[in-house]
Structure formats: C-alpha cells, structure tokens
C-alpha cells in the first residue's frame, strides 16, 4: 500500500529529470548570457539585429566545445587522471637515435612528448619509427619505440 502512494511521486521525478537536462542543452542568446557592460566591451552592441541573430544561430550549433583543462601552474592537462586513455600509436617524425635524457619527440599525429626522466637508452637509429605510448599503473606515461628494447617515462607538451 505504501508503494502505491509513492508511485506518483517517483513517476513525477522520473519525468522531470529529462526535461531539466533538455532545458540545460538549449542555447541561451548572448544578450541574456552577458551583462550589458560585457556585451558592450565585446563590441557586440555594434552588430545589427540581423548580425546578432546570425551570430546567435551559429553559436547555438557550436556551443558544445571541449574545454581545455589546466593544472595549478596553468599548464594544459591533456588526459585528466580520472579519464581512461587508451594507448597512443603513431610514428616519431624524423630520425630517432634513442632516449638521451631530455629528448622531445614530435609525432605524426601532431602530439609532442618530452622525456620525463634523465635515463639514457641506446637504440638502433631509425627514421619515422612506430611508437606506442601507454599509461602506467602509477598514472604516468611510458613510451616504447620499435627497435628499442626499453621504455622511458614521458609527458605530453602539445
């Protein structure tokens, strides 16, 4: 009997949650999101009503942009520690002669990684070798290069 009383309440909550999340996804025009001072400082008060409408239309379709995260020092955080990131497979651009202790490696996917430790590992010289970068159990990143029998700890810089 008690469940029968709670059923209408549970149903209303269940129906309300999707409506609230849908409302959060709707675009709010710039004039409503900004104070009049911010709107003027951005130069948006110079737009005609049609130009402002076109800008709002464009923003409504592009409003969901990924936000870059930064650490306390302001450096970018590419993979938050709570995020599970799979291995990265790419190629080192140019010649690779091993890990010299302070090397920086540009990959063909545009990422740049820097050696995090000062260990020196000799490897066979190669051009554009395949590289795999995996997150270790401790949360740091380890780089393995084809033709090299050892790995080194790296941090992403770009």
């Amino acid at each position: 009997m008690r469940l029968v009383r709670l059923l209408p309440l549970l149903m209303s909550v269940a129906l309300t949650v999707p409506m609230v999340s849908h409302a959060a996804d709707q675009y709010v025009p710039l004039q409503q999101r900004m104070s009049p001072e911010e709107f003027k400082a951005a130069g948006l008060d110079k737009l005609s009503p049609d130009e402002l409408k076109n800008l709002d239309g464009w923003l409504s379709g592009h409003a969901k942009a990924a936000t870059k995260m930064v650490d306390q020092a302001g450096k970018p955080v590419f993979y938050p520690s709570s995020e599970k990131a799979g291995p990265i497979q790419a190629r080192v651009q140019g010649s690779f002669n091993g890990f010299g202790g302070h090397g920086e490696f540009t990959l063909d996917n545009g990422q740049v990684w820097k050696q995090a430790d000062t260990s020196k590992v000799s490897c066979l010289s190669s051009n554009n070798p395949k590289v795999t970068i995996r997150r270790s159990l401790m949360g740091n990143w380890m780089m393995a290069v084809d033709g090299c029998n050892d790995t080194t700890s790296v941090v992403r810089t770009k």
Side-chain angles (χ1 to χ4, degrees), residues 99-102 115-121 150-153:
F99 300 111
H102 300 327
Q115 190 172 348
D117 57 23
T118 57
S119 62
K120 295 181 181 183
V121 180
D150 207 351
T151 61
T152 192
S153 178

Side-chain angles (χ1 to χ4, degrees), residues 79 86-94 96 105-113 126-134 141-147 156 158:
Y79 300 103
I88 298 161
Q89 296 186 339
R91 289 187 174 273
V92 174
Q93 288 185 335
F96 177 78
F105 310 97
T106 302
L107 306 184
D108 62 356
N109 63 7
Q111 295 179 354
V112 179
W113 294 78
S126 59
N127 286 322
N128 305 316
K130 289 182 182 177
V131 62
T132 303
I133 302 173
R134 288 188 169 86
W141 293 91
M142 300 302 292
M143 177 185 277
V145 178
D146 279 5
R156 185 172 170 189
K158 179 179 172 192

Side-chain angles (χ1 to χ4, degrees), residues 12-113:
S12 64
V13 169
L15 293 174
T16 303
V17 171
M19 287 189 291
V20 170
S21 68
H22 176 69
D25 290 341
Q26 292 180 344
Y27 178 75
V28 177
L30 285 173
Q31 278 186 298
Q32 294 176 16
R33 292 171 38 186
M34 301 172 85
S35 71
E37 295 80 22
E38 292 171 324
F39 193 80
K40 186 172 182 172
L44 297 174
D45 60 326
K46 298 172 188 166
L47 297 177
S48 71
D50 283 341
E51 290 171 327
L52 190 57
K53 181 180 173 187
N54 288 334
L55 179 59
D56 276 328
W58 186 88
L59 287 172
S60 70
H62 296 85
K64 295 205 176 217
T67 302
K68 287 185 178 180
M69 295 177 62
V70 293
D71 62 12
Q72 291 178 342
K75 294 182 180 179
V77 176
F78 296 100
Y79 300 103
S81 58
S82 61
E83 178 182 327
K84 290 207 175 218
I88 298 161
Q89 296 186 339
R91 289 187 174 273
V92 174
Q93 288 185 335
S95 179
F96 177 78
N97 299 313
F99 300 111
H102 300 327
E104 189 169 88
F105 310 97
T106 302
L107 306 184
D108 62 356
N109 63 7
Q111 295 179 354
V112 179
W113 294 78

